[in-house]
Amino acid sequence: MAMLWKFMRVAKYSKTALSPKVKVRGIPTHSRHSSSKSVPSDFAASAPCSNTVELLGKSYLQDDYSNVTEKILSKVGKNLHNRKHHPLWLIKEQVKEHFYKHYLGRRGTPLFSVYDRLSPVVTVQQNFDSLLIPQNHASRRKEDNYYLNRDHMLRAHTSAHQWDLIHSGLDAFLAVGDVYRRDTIDNTHYPVFHQMEGVRLFSCHELFSSIKDGEGLQLFEQGHRTAHKQECHTMEAVRLVEFNLKQVLTKLMTHIFGDGLQVRWVDCYFPFTHPSFEMEINFQGEWMEVLGCGVMEQQLVNSAGAQDKIGWAFGLGLERLAMILYDIPDIRLFWSEDERFLKQFIGPHIWQKIKFQPLSRYPPLINDISFWLPSETYSQNDFYDLVRTIGGDLIEKVVLLDEFAHPKTKKVSHCYRIVYRHPERTLTQDEVHRIHQAIEESAVRELGVEGRF
């Protein structure tokens, strides 16, 4: 869940600015059952000649909302979840196989269809409006998203495809893809990650057919919204949908992580599901959140053309599952081309037990940066995005060490610690110094901060 970014080239480490015209040439993706072929990413910046971004065969006119950087655009089309033997592909295939095997239609065919090649470029309407997310909701902020312009963006979640897939007539589906969010920088956060969306709709007969004397039960009523149900749903329908959802996801997690897995549910809030929950699993003595889910908002379901059905939806992060299952300590490793990493996940079948063997642990180099904030709006995510754009995957972590308000001038100062560490080689003090200096200079120029270097 600011100001217009017009990043400039900084030294030789990063093309931080979207030049007035940027091209990303690749193969457009379409809705279809999954396959293992990846969409190639062929990224190049052209000479300035127009204020457009060309991405996956389409042109997008930049405006005051455009804030996507070349560094992020270079990730579009990589589709790690479709790269055979990649750990994210393994997780996706395990979930697919589980659903294909355990949930069958009346003719014995898989109940759930899978869509893993949907374009990551979506409209703001798809990403927010179709999900009933209010106009003033914090998740819409430029500080948290990558916008091509006011109308188009890189999807922030696979939920952006819910409405379209339901509207096409689907009652049960999984949608998988890369999603993009501006966020903090540490070993579990990256601006590009991968999600799987699951949706299941039920007719009255499907939901109540196995219930004794269920003929008289109904999906809908004229009631009141409470913490436990929507105003249009009967309590019986909501309880059964909740039970089915939690049963499905508990079986899935147990199938992936093994018997004896401890699961707990935490009430939470999502704009497009109510009631909604987060699932936490106990892994090595620590409770970890692995997915969010809930009963779908009936207004969403109705607007997509399924007025006579009620349903659930869930979203899970593939990186989160893979890091737990394979004991991968750093999210940057998923983007590694190092054969020492990739070969560890090649096996005879997708269920082979794999424990990641760490590559040589190269030493970190640490530098701090302090500056006075500008008087106008300042976003930490703007700074994090600038740091990641210049330093790329050499940046392991950025931590706000200190926040100080001057007692007389009332000016606010931030001090950040930047940890540099290459996952595949030892960094030199000289190259880190040049990158750090480029970050300092760019922060002054692009963010309007006053350096305390």
Side-chain angles (χ1 to χ4, degrees), residues 383-413:
F383 177 66
Y384 295 146
D385 203 45
L386 182 147
V387 171
R388 202 189 283 277
T389 300
I390 296 174
D393 287 351
L394 302 186
I395 308 298
E396 180 177 79
K397 182 185 299 186
V398 178
V399 179
L400 178 60
L401 284 184
D402 181 62
E403 184 172 0
F404 166 74
H406 195 283
K408 293 184 178 180
T409 65
K410 306 303 180 183
K411 293 174 65 176
V412 177
S413 171

PDB file of all heavy atoms in Angstrom, residues 383-413:
ATOM      1  N   PHE A 383      13.209   7.699  -0.783  1.00  0.00           N
ATOM      2  CA  PHE A 383      14.648   7.523  -0.541  1.00  0.00           C
ATOM      3  C   PHE A 383      15.075   6.081  -0.782  1.00  0.00           C
ATOM      4  O   PHE A 383      16.095   5.820  -1.420  1.00  0.00           O
ATOM      5  CB  PHE A 383      15.006   7.948   0.878  1.00  0.00           C
ATOM      6  CG  PHE A 383      16.456   7.732   1.227  1.00  0.00           C
ATOM      7  CD1 PHE A 383      17.457   8.460   0.596  1.00  0.00           C
ATOM      8  CD2 PHE A 383      16.829   6.779   2.172  1.00  0.00           C
ATOM      9  CE1 PHE A 383      18.799   8.257   0.904  1.00  0.00           C
ATOM     10  CE2 PHE A 383      18.159   6.558   2.485  1.00  0.00           C
ATOM     11  CZ  PHE A 383      19.156   7.304   1.853  1.00  0.00           C
ATOM     12  N   TYR A 384      14.272   5.123  -0.282  1.00  0.00           N
ATOM     13  CA  TYR A 384      14.608   3.720  -0.496  1.00  0.00           C
ATOM     14  C   TYR A 384      14.661   3.394  -1.989  1.00  0.00           C
ATOM     15  O   TYR A 384      15.545   2.663  -2.446  1.00  0.00           O
ATOM     16  CB  TYR A 384      13.572   2.809   0.177  1.00  0.00           C
ATOM     17  CG  TYR A 384      13.530   2.903   1.687  1.00  0.00           C
ATOM     18  CD1 TYR A 384      12.334   2.754   2.379  1.00  0.00           C
ATOM     19  CD2 TYR A 384      14.686   3.142   2.423  1.00  0.00           C
ATOM     20  CE1 TYR A 384      12.279   2.838   3.764  1.00  0.00           C
ATOM     21  CE2 TYR A 384      14.642   3.231   3.803  1.00  0.00           C
ATOM     22  CZ  TYR A 384      13.447   3.082   4.470  1.00  0.00           C
ATOM     23  OH  TYR A 384      13.405   3.162   5.838  1.00  0.00           O
ATOM     24  N   ASP A 385      13.723   3.942  -2.741  1.00  0.00           N
ATOM     25  CA  ASP A 385      13.688   3.663  -4.174  1.00  0.00           C
ATOM     26  C   ASP A 385      14.910   4.259  -4.863  1.00  0.00           C
ATOM     27  O   ASP A 385      15.491   3.644  -5.761  1.00  0.00           O
ATOM     28  CB  ASP A 385      12.400   4.234  -4.777  1.00  0.00           C
ATOM     29  CG  ASP A 385      12.017   3.551  -6.069  1.00  0.00           C
ATOM     30  OD1 ASP A 385      12.072   2.306  -6.114  1.00  0.00           O
ATOM     31  OD2 ASP A 385      11.673   4.252  -7.036  1.00  0.00           O
ATOM     32  N   LEU A 386      15.317   5.461  -4.439  1.00  0.00           N
ATOM     33  CA  LEU A 386      16.511   6.077  -5.000  1.00  0.00           C
ATOM     34  C   LEU A 386      17.753   5.238  -4.698  1.00  0.00           C
ATOM     35  O   LEU A 386      18.585   4.993  -5.577  1.00  0.00           O
ATOM     36  CB  LEU A 386      16.659   7.491  -4.432  1.00  0.00           C
ATOM     37  CG  LEU A 386      17.832   8.336  -4.925  1.00  0.00           C
ATOM     38  CD1 LEU A 386      17.442   9.807  -4.974  1.00  0.00           C
ATOM     39  CD2 LEU A 386      19.058   8.176  -4.008  1.00  0.00           C
ATOM     40  N   VAL A 387      17.875   4.790  -3.450  1.00  0.00           N
ATOM     41  CA  VAL A 387      19.030   3.972  -3.054  1.00  0.00           C
ATOM     42  C   VAL A 387      19.081   2.680  -3.852  1.00  0.00           C
ATOM     43  O   VAL A 387      20.126   2.279  -4.376  1.00  0.00           O
ATOM     44  CB  VAL A 387      18.981   3.667  -1.545  1.00  0.00           C
ATOM     45  CG1 VAL A 387      20.046   2.641  -1.167  1.00  0.00           C
ATOM     46  CG2 VAL A 387      19.168   4.939  -0.740  1.00  0.00           C
ATOM     47  N   ARG A 388      17.927   2.014  -3.974  1.00  0.00           N
ATOM     48  CA  ARG A 388      17.911   0.746  -4.696  1.00  0.00           C
ATOM     49  C   ARG A 388      18.151   0.960  -6.188  1.00  0.00           C
ATOM     50  O   ARG A 388      18.758   0.122  -6.849  1.00  0.00           O
ATOM     51  CB  ARG A 388      16.576   0.026  -4.468  1.00  0.00           C
ATOM     52  CG  ARG A 388      16.665  -1.461  -4.713  1.00  0.00           C
ATOM     53  CD  ARG A 388      15.307  -2.106  -4.693  1.00  0.00           C
ATOM     54  NE  ARG A 388      14.756  -2.299  -3.375  1.00  0.00           N
ATOM     55  CZ  ARG A 388      15.063  -3.334  -2.588  1.00  0.00           C
ATOM     56  NH1 ARG A 388      15.951  -4.208  -2.970  1.00  0.00           N
ATOM     57  NH2 ARG A 388      14.477  -3.466  -1.418  1.00  0.00           N
ATOM     58  N   THR A 389      17.678   2.084  -6.709  1.00  0.00           N
ATOM     59  CA  THR A 389      17.861   2.354  -8.126  1.00  0.00           C
ATOM     60  C   THR A 389      19.334   2.560  -8.449  1.00  0.00           C
ATOM     61  O   THR A 389      19.834   2.109  -9.475  1.00  0.00           O
ATOM     62  CB  THR A 389      17.052   3.596  -8.546  1.00  0.00           C
ATOM     63  OG1 THR A 389      15.673   3.352  -8.283  1.00  0.00           O
ATOM     64  CG2 THR A 389      17.218   3.890 -10.023  1.00  0.00           C
ATOM     65  N   ILE A 390      20.062   3.250  -7.573  1.00  0.00           N
ATOM     66  CA  ILE A 390      21.484   3.507  -7.804  1.00  0.00           C
ATOM     67  C   ILE A 390      22.331   2.296  -7.434  1.00  0.00           C
ATOM     68  O   ILE A 390      23.202   1.883  -8.192  1.00  0.00           O
ATOM     69  CB  ILE A 390      21.941   4.735  -6.995  1.00  0.00           C
ATOM     70  CG1 ILE A 390      21.208   5.985  -7.486  1.00  0.00           C
ATOM     71  CG2 ILE A 390      23.447   4.933  -7.106  1.00  0.00           C
ATOM     72  CD1 ILE A 390      21.474   7.219  -6.654  1.00  0.00           C
ATOM     73  N   GLY A 391      22.069   1.714  -6.273  1.00  0.00           N
ATOM     74  CA  GLY A 391      22.912   0.613  -5.798  1.00  0.00           C
ATOM     75  C   GLY A 391      22.478  -0.760  -6.260  1.00  0.00           C
ATOM     76  O   GLY A 391      23.258  -1.715  -6.184  1.00  0.00           O
ATOM     77  N   GLY A 392      21.230  -0.890  -6.714  1.00  0.00           N
ATOM     78  CA  GLY A 392      20.745  -2.183  -7.193  1.00  0.00           C
ATOM     79  C   GLY A 392      20.836  -3.256  -6.124  1.00  0.00           C
ATOM     80  O   GLY A 392      20.617  -3.010  -4.926  1.00  0.00           O
ATOM     81  N   ASP A 393      21.195  -4.457  -6.540  1.00  0.00           N
ATOM     82  CA  ASP A 393      21.243  -5.584  -5.611  1.00  0.00           C
ATOM     83  C   ASP A 393      22.512  -5.626  -4.771  1.00  0.00           C
ATOM     84  O   ASP A 393      22.752  -6.586  -4.043  1.00  0.00           O
ATOM     85  CB  ASP A 393      21.080  -6.901  -6.379  1.00  0.00           C
ATOM     86  CG  ASP A 393      19.655  -7.099  -6.856  1.00  0.00           C
ATOM     87  OD1 ASP A 393      18.790  -6.306  -6.452  1.00  0.00           O
ATOM     88  OD2 ASP A 393      19.407  -8.026  -7.647  1.00  0.00           O
ATOM     89  N   LEU A 394      23.329  -4.563  -4.856  1.00  0.00           N
ATOM     90  CA  LEU A 394      24.460  -4.447  -3.928  1.00  0.00           C
ATOM     91  C   LEU A 394      23.984  -3.968  -2.566  1.00  0.00           C
ATOM     92  O   LEU A 394      24.702  -4.073  -1.583  1.00  0.00           O
ATOM     93  CB  LEU A 394      25.497  -3.455  -4.470  1.00  0.00           C
ATOM     94  CG  LEU A 394      26.099  -3.758  -5.844  1.00  0.00           C
ATOM     95  CD1 LEU A 394      27.199  -2.752  -6.159  1.00  0.00           C
ATOM     96  CD2 LEU A 394      26.636  -5.175  -5.900  1.00  0.00           C
ATOM     97  N   ILE A 395      22.752  -3.443  -2.513  1.00  0.00           N
ATOM     98  CA  ILE A 395      22.202  -2.938  -1.254  1.00  0.00           C
ATOM     99  C   ILE A 395      21.495  -4.080  -0.533  1.00  0.00           C
ATOM    100  O   ILE A 395      20.504  -4.614  -0.996  1.00  0.00           O
ATOM    101  CB  ILE A 395      21.203  -1.801  -1.506  1.00  0.00           C
ATOM    102  CG1 ILE A 395      21.815  -0.712  -2.400  1.00  0.00           C
ATOM    103  CG2 ILE A 395      20.736  -1.217  -0.173  1.00  0.00           C
ATOM    104  CD1 ILE A 395      23.017  -0.026  -1.807  1.00  0.00           C
ATOM    105  N   GLU A 396      22.013  -4.448   0.629  1.00  0.00           N
ATOM    106  CA  GLU A 396      21.398  -5.518   1.412  1.00  0.00           C
ATOM    107  C   GLU A 396      20.333  -4.983   2.351  1.00  0.00           C
ATOM    108  O   GLU A 396      19.278  -5.599   2.535  1.00  0.00           O
ATOM    109  CB  GLU A 396      22.461  -6.250   2.231  1.00  0.00           C
ATOM    110  CG  GLU A 396      21.907  -7.375   3.079  1.00  0.00           C
ATOM    111  CD  GLU A 396      22.994  -8.126   3.822  1.00  0.00           C
ATOM    112  OE1 GLU A 396      23.472  -7.621   4.862  1.00  0.00           O
ATOM    113  OE2 GLU A 396      23.372  -9.208   3.351  1.00  0.00           O
ATOM    114  N   LYS A 397      20.579  -3.814   2.930  1.00  0.00           N
ATOM    115  CA  LYS A 397      19.644  -3.307   3.930  1.00  0.00           C
ATOM    116  C   LYS A 397      19.829  -1.807   4.081  1.00  0.00           C
ATOM    117  O   LYS A 397      20.939  -1.282   3.946  1.00  0.00           O
ATOM    118  CB  LYS A 397      19.887  -3.989   5.281  1.00  0.00           C
ATOM    119  CG  LYS A 397      18.942  -3.588   6.393  1.00  0.00           C
ATOM    120  CD  LYS A 397      19.342  -4.222   7.717  1.00  0.00           C
ATOM    121  CE  LYS A 397      19.317  -5.733   7.681  1.00  0.00           C
ATOM    122  NZ  LYS A 397      19.584  -6.315   9.028  1.00  0.00           N
ATOM    123  N   VAL A 398      18.728  -1.113   4.339  1.00  0.00           N
ATOM    124  CA  VAL A 398      18.758   0.306   4.700  1.00  0.00           C
ATOM    125  C   VAL A 398      17.920   0.472   5.966  1.00  0.00           C
ATOM    126  O   VAL A 398      16.757   0.069   6.003  1.00  0.00           O
ATOM    127  CB  VAL A 398      18.198   1.207   3.573  1.00  0.00           C
ATOM    128  CG1 VAL A 398      18.212   2.662   4.025  1.00  0.00           C
ATOM    129  CG2 VAL A 398      19.005   1.046   2.301  1.00  0.00           C
ATOM    130  N   VAL A 399      18.513   1.046   7.005  1.00  0.00           N
ATOM    131  CA  VAL A 399      17.845   1.179   8.296  1.00  0.00           C
ATOM    132  C   VAL A 399      17.869   2.639   8.726  1.00  0.00           C
ATOM    133  O   VAL A 399      18.915   3.301   8.646  1.00  0.00           O
ATOM    134  CB  VAL A 399      18.537   0.320   9.368  1.00  0.00           C
ATOM    135  CG1 VAL A 399      17.834   0.483  10.718  1.00  0.00           C
ATOM    136  CG2 VAL A 399      18.560  -1.143   8.958  1.00  0.00           C
ATOM    137  N   LEU A 400      16.718   3.156   9.148  1.00  0.00           N
ATOM    138  CA  LEU A 400      16.668   4.495   9.728  1.00  0.00           C
ATOM    139  C   LEU A 400      17.230   4.407  11.147  1.00  0.00           C
ATOM    140  O   LEU A 400      16.597   3.860  12.052  1.00  0.00           O
ATOM    141  CB  LEU A 400      15.226   5.012   9.748  1.00  0.00           C
ATOM    142  CG  LEU A 400      15.009   6.384  10.383  1.00  0.00           C
ATOM    143  CD1 LEU A 400      15.789   7.466   9.664  1.00  0.00           C
ATOM    144  CD2 LEU A 400      13.523   6.728  10.431  1.00  0.00           C
ATOM    145  N   LEU A 401      18.438   4.944  11.327  1.00  0.00           N
ATOM    146  CA  LEU A 401      19.107   4.859  12.627  1.00  0.00           C
ATOM    147  C   LEU A 401      18.610   5.903  13.607  1.00  0.00           C
ATOM    148  O   LEU A 401      18.467   5.646  14.804  1.00  0.00           O
ATOM    149  CB  LEU A 401      20.625   5.039  12.450  1.00  0.00           C
ATOM    150  CG  LEU A 401      21.439   3.887  11.897  1.00  0.00           C
ATOM    151  CD1 LEU A 401      22.913   4.273  11.901  1.00  0.00           C
ATOM    152  CD2 LEU A 401      21.236   2.620  12.711  1.00  0.00           C
ATOM    153  N   ASP A 402      18.375   7.128  13.083  1.00  0.00           N
ATOM    154  CA  ASP A 402      18.065   8.214  14.003  1.00  0.00           C
ATOM    155  C   ASP A 402      17.200   9.259  13.313  1.00  0.00           C
ATOM    156  O   ASP A 402      17.355   9.531  12.119  1.00  0.00           O
ATOM    157  CB  ASP A 402      19.373   8.870  14.487  1.00  0.00           C
ATOM    158  CG  ASP A 402      19.130   9.997  15.469  1.00  0.00           C
ATOM    159  OD1 ASP A 402      18.565   9.731  16.548  1.00  0.00           O
ATOM    160  OD2 ASP A 402      19.488  11.152  15.150  1.00  0.00           O
ATOM    161  N   GLU A 403      16.262   9.811  14.063  1.00  0.00           N
ATOM    162  CA  GLU A 403      15.431  10.921  13.599  1.00  0.00           C
ATOM    163  C   GLU A 403      15.519  12.021  14.638  1.00  0.00           C
ATOM    164  O   GLU A 403      15.214  11.800  15.812  1.00  0.00           O
ATOM    165  CB  GLU A 403      13.983  10.476  13.401  1.00  0.00           C
ATOM    166  CG  GLU A 403      13.091  11.555  12.830  1.00  0.00           C
ATOM    167  CD  GLU A 403      11.710  11.027  12.463  1.00  0.00           C
ATOM    168  OE1 GLU A 403      11.475   9.823  12.660  1.00  0.00           O
ATOM    169  OE2 GLU A 403      10.871  11.823  11.992  1.00  0.00           O
ATOM    170  N   PHE A 404      15.964  13.203  14.194  1.00  0.00           N
ATOM    171  CA  PHE A 404      16.250  14.285  15.128  1.00  0.00           C
ATOM    172  C   PHE A 404      15.572  15.566  14.667  1.00  0.00           C
ATOM    173  O   PHE A 404      15.653  15.933  13.488  1.00  0.00           O
ATOM    174  CB  PHE A 404      17.765  14.497  15.220  1.00  0.00           C
ATOM    175  CG  PHE A 404      18.178  15.784  15.891  1.00  0.00           C
ATOM    176  CD1 PHE A 404      18.066  15.930  17.261  1.00  0.00           C
ATOM    177  CD2 PHE A 404      18.669  16.851  15.151  1.00  0.00           C
ATOM    178  CE1 PHE A 404      18.447  17.108  17.883  1.00  0.00           C
ATOM    179  CE2 PHE A 404      19.053  18.035  15.761  1.00  0.00           C
ATOM    180  CZ  PHE A 404      18.947  18.157  17.135  1.00  0.00           C
ATOM    181  N   ALA A 405      14.878  16.235  15.576  1.00  0.00           N
ATOM    182  CA  ALA A 405      14.249  17.517  15.291  1.00  0.00           C
ATOM    183  C   ALA A 405      15.017  18.624  16.006  1.00  0.00           C
ATOM    184  O   ALA A 405      15.171  18.587  17.241  1.00  0.00           O
ATOM    185  CB  ALA A 405      12.788  17.513  15.727  1.00  0.00           C
ATOM    186  N   HIS A 406      15.513  19.598  15.250  1.00  0.00           N
ATOM    187  CA  HIS A 406      16.284  20.692  15.840  1.00  0.00           C
ATOM    188  C   HIS A 406      15.366  21.534  16.734  1.00  0.00           C
ATOM    189  O   HIS A 406      14.289  21.957  16.297  1.00  0.00           O
ATOM    190  CB  HIS A 406      16.888  21.562  14.744  1.00  0.00           C
ATOM    191  CG  HIS A 406      17.962  22.477  15.233  1.00  0.00           C
ATOM    192  ND1 HIS A 406      17.693  23.643  15.917  1.00  0.00           N
ATOM    193  CD2 HIS A 406      19.318  22.395  15.150  1.00  0.00           C
ATOM    194  CE1 HIS A 406      18.825  24.245  16.236  1.00  0.00           C
ATOM    195  NE2 HIS A 406      19.830  23.504  15.772  1.00  0.00           N
ATOM    196  N   PRO A 407      15.763  21.779  17.978  1.00  0.00           N
ATOM    197  CA  PRO A 407      14.868  22.483  18.916  1.00  0.00           C
ATOM    198  C   PRO A 407      14.550  23.920  18.506  1.00  0.00           C
ATOM    199  O   PRO A 407      13.496  24.436  18.876  1.00  0.00           O
ATOM    200  CB  PRO A 407      15.643  22.441  20.233  1.00  0.00           C
ATOM    201  CG  PRO A 407      17.072  22.219  19.845  1.00  0.00           C
ATOM    202  CD  PRO A 407      17.036  21.400  18.605  1.00  0.00           C
ATOM    203  N   LYS A 408      15.433  24.561  17.734  1.00  0.00           N
ATOM    204  CA  LYS A 408      15.202  25.957  17.352  1.00  0.00           C
ATOM    205  C   LYS A 408      14.584  26.076  15.962  1.00  0.00           C
ATOM    206  O   LYS A 408      13.568  26.737  15.767  1.00  0.00           O
ATOM    207  CB  LYS A 408      16.512  26.738  17.417  1.00  0.00           C
ATOM    208  CG  LYS A 408      17.055  26.908  18.822  1.00  0.00           C
ATOM    209  CD  LYS A 408      18.316  27.770  18.832  1.00  0.00           C
ATOM    210  CE  LYS A 408      18.830  27.985  20.256  1.00  0.00           C
ATOM    211  NZ  LYS A 408      20.066  28.825  20.281  1.00  0.00           N
ATOM    212  N   THR A 409      15.205  25.436  14.982  1.00  0.00           N
ATOM    213  CA  THR A 409      14.727  25.574  13.598  1.00  0.00           C
ATOM    214  C   THR A 409      13.563  24.658  13.291  1.00  0.00           C
ATOM    215  O   THR A 409      12.866  24.847  12.295  1.00  0.00           O
ATOM    216  CB  THR A 409      15.871  25.266  12.615  1.00  0.00           C
ATOM    217  OG1 THR A 409      16.245  23.879  12.747  1.00  0.00           O
ATOM    218  CG2 THR A 409      17.076  26.146  12.895  1.00  0.00           C
ATOM    219  N   LYS A 410      13.353  23.626  14.124  1.00  0.00           N
ATOM    220  CA  LYS A 410      12.310  22.616  13.923  1.00  0.00           C
ATOM    221  C   LYS A 410      12.563  21.748  12.689  1.00  0.00           C
ATOM    222  O   LYS A 410      11.706  20.957  12.301  1.00  0.00           O
ATOM    223  CB  LYS A 410      10.916  23.253  13.814  1.00  0.00           C
ATOM    224  CG  LYS A 410      10.551  24.172  14.981  1.00  0.00           C
ATOM    225  CD  LYS A 410      10.629  23.459  16.317  1.00  0.00           C
ATOM    226  CE  LYS A 410      10.258  24.407  17.460  1.00  0.00           C
ATOM    227  NZ  LYS A 410      10.402  23.734  18.788  1.00  0.00           N
ATOM    228  N   LYS A 411      13.721  21.921  12.076  1.00  0.00           N
ATOM    229  CA  LYS A 411      14.062  21.067  10.929  1.00  0.00           C
ATOM    230  C   LYS A 411      14.315  19.641  11.418  1.00  0.00           C
ATOM    231  O   LYS A 411      14.830  19.429  12.529  1.00  0.00           O
ATOM    232  CB  LYS A 411      15.296  21.596  10.207  1.00  0.00           C
ATOM    233  CG  LYS A 411      15.078  22.946   9.522  1.00  0.00           C
ATOM    234  CD  LYS A 411      16.365  23.507   8.950  1.00  0.00           C
ATOM    235  CE  LYS A 411      16.900  22.636   7.834  1.00  0.00           C
ATOM    236  NZ  LYS A 411      18.101  23.242   7.207  1.00  0.00           N
ATOM    237  N   VAL A 412      13.936  18.670  10.584  1.00  0.00           N
ATOM    238  CA  VAL A 412      14.064  17.256  10.952  1.00  0.00           C
ATOM    239  C   VAL A 412      15.210  16.628  10.167  1.00  0.00           C
ATOM    240  O   VAL A 412      15.337  16.835   8.952  1.00  0.00           O
ATOM    241  CB  VAL A 412      12.758  16.492  10.665  1.00  0.00           C
ATOM    242  CG1 VAL A 412      12.928  15.007  10.989  1.00  0.00           C
ATOM    243  CG2 VAL A 412      11.620  17.082  11.488  1.00  0.00           C
ATOM    244  N   SER A 413      16.024  15.872  10.873  1.00  0.00           N
ATOM    245  CA  SER A 413      17.153  15.183  10.257  1.00  0.00           C
ATOM    246  C   SER A 413      16.956  13.682  10.351  1.00  0.00           C
ATOM    247  O   SER A 413      16.487  13.170  11.367  1.00  0.00           O
ATOM    248  CB  SER A 413      18.461  15.568  10.953  1.00  0.00           C
ATOM    249  OG  SER A 413      19.531  14.748  10.500  1.00  0.00           O
TER     250      SER A 413
END
